[in-house]
Amino acid sequence: MTLATFEYSGGTIVAEELTPEAFSKFGYVISAYHQAPKVAAGTHGLAYRMSDVSVPVNNYSNSHFKTEAPCAFNLQRFAPPATLDRKNCEYLVKVIERHPYTTQTFFPMGVDASEPAYLVIVAENDEIDNMPDLSTVRAFVARGGQSVTYGAAVWHGGTCSLRDTLDMTMFMYDNGVKEDEMHLVGIENGLPVTYTV
């Protein structure tokens, strides 16, 4: 459901390295490289467990539709968006979205752990008008060994693949009601992002 369209008047957003600490205001990063110091002995000595690296949230009980919202894993295949210029490492974000009642987690598949794989774009919510605060937009470069969980109701860009093809498993809760599943906001002139690979 499209809520509004805005013009962006800020400067170019420079993408940062994606780390659990840098992203903590917006959700979780699952990254063995960053979280390995938290390892605990695993099952029967076959694995090491890094506990509580992401917490799924289902707030659909707050929806006025009051319908069941089961969890679902979906497979998604991404190509670079038309507004991505990989030669010059520039991206123009034209739409941001949020899922008001659920977290959403993306797990890249079949990508080298150290390879830059996708861009993560997020913004804080303006508590006055309940819309994205475009002055708070941040961008991150996610590598193949990093998964990201957007917090419930966190404004974010769609997945921007930096590869010709990027397969991801996506996990979220969904009650099947379009008005509850996703809110969209258009950015008429786009949010300019630059990144380094």
Side-chain angles (χ1 to χ4, degrees):
M1 179 170 78
T2 302
L3 301 179
T5 301
F6 293 103
E7 290 280 336
Y8 177 67
S9 58
T12 299
I13 300 146
V14 179
E16 311 165 43
E17 176 188 359
L18 182 65
T19 67
E21 296 77 21
F23 194 73
S24 62
K25 182 182 287 190
F26 306 101
Y28 301 92
V29 173
I30 304 170
S31 174
Y33 174 80
H34 292 96
Q35 293 155 326
K38 297 181 179 178
V39 296
T43 308
H44 311 295
L46 300 175
Y48 292 97
R49 182 176 67 210
M50 293 165 238
S51 299
D52 303 319
V53 294
S54 180
V55 179
V57 172
N58 180 349
N59 287 334
Y60 275 101
S61 61
N62 296 329
S63 166
H64 68 274
F65 289 104
K66 304 299 181 196
T67 57
E68 291 291 319
C71 62
F73 282 93
N74 299 296
L75 178 61
Q76 295 183 308
R77 175 164 286 171
F78 296 95
T83 58
L84 177 70
D85 178 352
R86 288 192 286 179
K87 181 179 178 184
N88 294 306
C89 296
E90 297 173 346
Y91 176 45
L92 195 62
V93 183
K94 299 292 283 185
V95 175
I96 57 176
E97 64 187 62
R98 71 175 171 194
H99 308 281
Y101 300 109
T102 180
T103 50
Q104 185 182 40
T105 302
F106 289 92
F107 304 92
M109 300 167 57
V111 183
D112 183 276
S114 63
E115 179 185 344
Y118 59 106
L119 294 178
V120 174
I121 314 295
V122 287
E124 295 177 30
N125 192 55
D126 185 325
E127 299 300 330
I128 296 172
D129 63 8
N130 201 25
M131 291 287 170
D133 179 350
L134 298 183
S135 71
T136 67
V137 173
R138 291 176 68 186
F140 301 90
V141 176
R143 300 189 178 275
Q146 294 180 304
S147 299
V148 65
T149 298
Y150 298 106
V154 167
W155 291 103
H156 61 278
T159 298
C160 175
S161 175
L162 298 177
R163 299 166 43 87
D164 290 338
T165 301
L166 176 63
D167 292 333
M168 301 185 95
T169 300
M170 186 269 286
F171 171 86
M172 67 185 295
Y173 298 94
D174 188 358
N175 70 353
V177 177
K178 187 174 182 180
E179 295 93 321
D180 276 355
E181 196 272 326
M182 184 189 305
H183 294 165
L184 298 172
V185 167
I187 313 298
E188 190 69 35
N189 56 338
L191 302 168
V193 175
T194 61
Y195 61 96
T196 303
V197 292

